[in-house]
Amino acid sequence: MAERIGVFGGTFDPIHVGHLVTAVNVRHTLTLDRVLLVVANDPWQKATLPVTPARHRLAMVEAAVADVAGIEASALEIERGGASYTADTLAELRRRSPDAELLVILGSDAAALLDTWERVEEVRELASLVVVTRPGADTLAATLGWEHHQVEVPRLEVSSTDLRARVADGRPLDWLVTEPVIHLIRALGLYDVREMRSQRSATP
Ligand code: ATP
């Protein structure tokens, strides 16, 4: 039987339990062989915001999924460099696994932006769509008329934006982010405004 691969892209700055719960539950519900967490190299949708270097975001994703069966970190967009377009990523995955079935996994916020995507018709030809909703949510309107799977996962009110603010304010990350990722955030001094200031003043 053809391999079924979930493609879950994100900035993952940092990866949190909302991402992990989504990946694990979509894999289970749709009986996917594996789900790739594809770390955006240059997330063009966040062009105006400062983003942590891709190698650090990838290291956090690798640490988060090291012991999770069927969930893998993917460096494909980082290796390709430049702006990260899902159309290019899917074309590469298709080249590597010509017989696989590809399913693009999106949170409902990301699905609402589908019509702004680069070469969205190519995405549509290469993959089917999985939209993740919270239990009881209405069927999504904004899927451009695509046939799509809708998977309900427990919605956890956690976002990378909130986590970055927590580090900056010195608030706890526990149970919102896995332990190995917390260690990496501390070790790399990520999101810590005080750390960033002292690094800047140490620069000759
Ligand atoms: P930011 O707060 O920086 O915008 P984010 O937490 O939304 O980041 P991204 O890396 O931008 O995380 O999101 C990648 C994917 O994960 C998107 O499809 C998004 O819809 C989904 N996602 C984000 N947060 C959650 C969550 N709490 N539960 C389920 N899916 C989520």
Side-chain angles (χ1 to χ4, degrees), residues 52 69 187:
T52 301

Side-chain angles (χ1 to χ4, degrees), residues 38 80 111 116 130 160 173:
V38 185
R80 191 171 66 235
T116 69
V130 179
S160 301
L173 303 182

Side-chain angles (χ1 to χ4, degrees), residues 11 13 42-52 164:
T11 312
D13 193 13
D42 177 2
W44 55 274
Q45 282 161 317
K46 298 186 180 178
T48 56
L49 302 168
V51 174
T52 301
R164 294 191 298 273

Side-chain angles (χ1 to χ4, degrees), residues 32-56:
L32 305 183
D33 295 285
R34 52 200 176 111
V35 171
L36 306 179
L37 298 183
V38 185
V39 180
N41 181 57
D42 177 2
W44 55 274
Q45 282 161 317
K46 298 186 180 178
T48 56
L49 302 168
V51 174
T52 301
R55 67 181 187 286
H56 293 336

Side-chain angles (χ1 to χ4, degrees), residues 8-13 16 18-19 22 46 105-110 155-161 164:
F8 188 27
T11 312
F12 303 118
D13 193 13
H16 53 66
H19 299 131
T22 297
K46 298 186 180 178
I105 302 166
L106 294 174
S108 46
D109 57 332
R155 171 75 193 185
L156 302 171
E157 292 299 335
V158 46
S159 71
S160 301
T161 303
R164 294 191 298 273

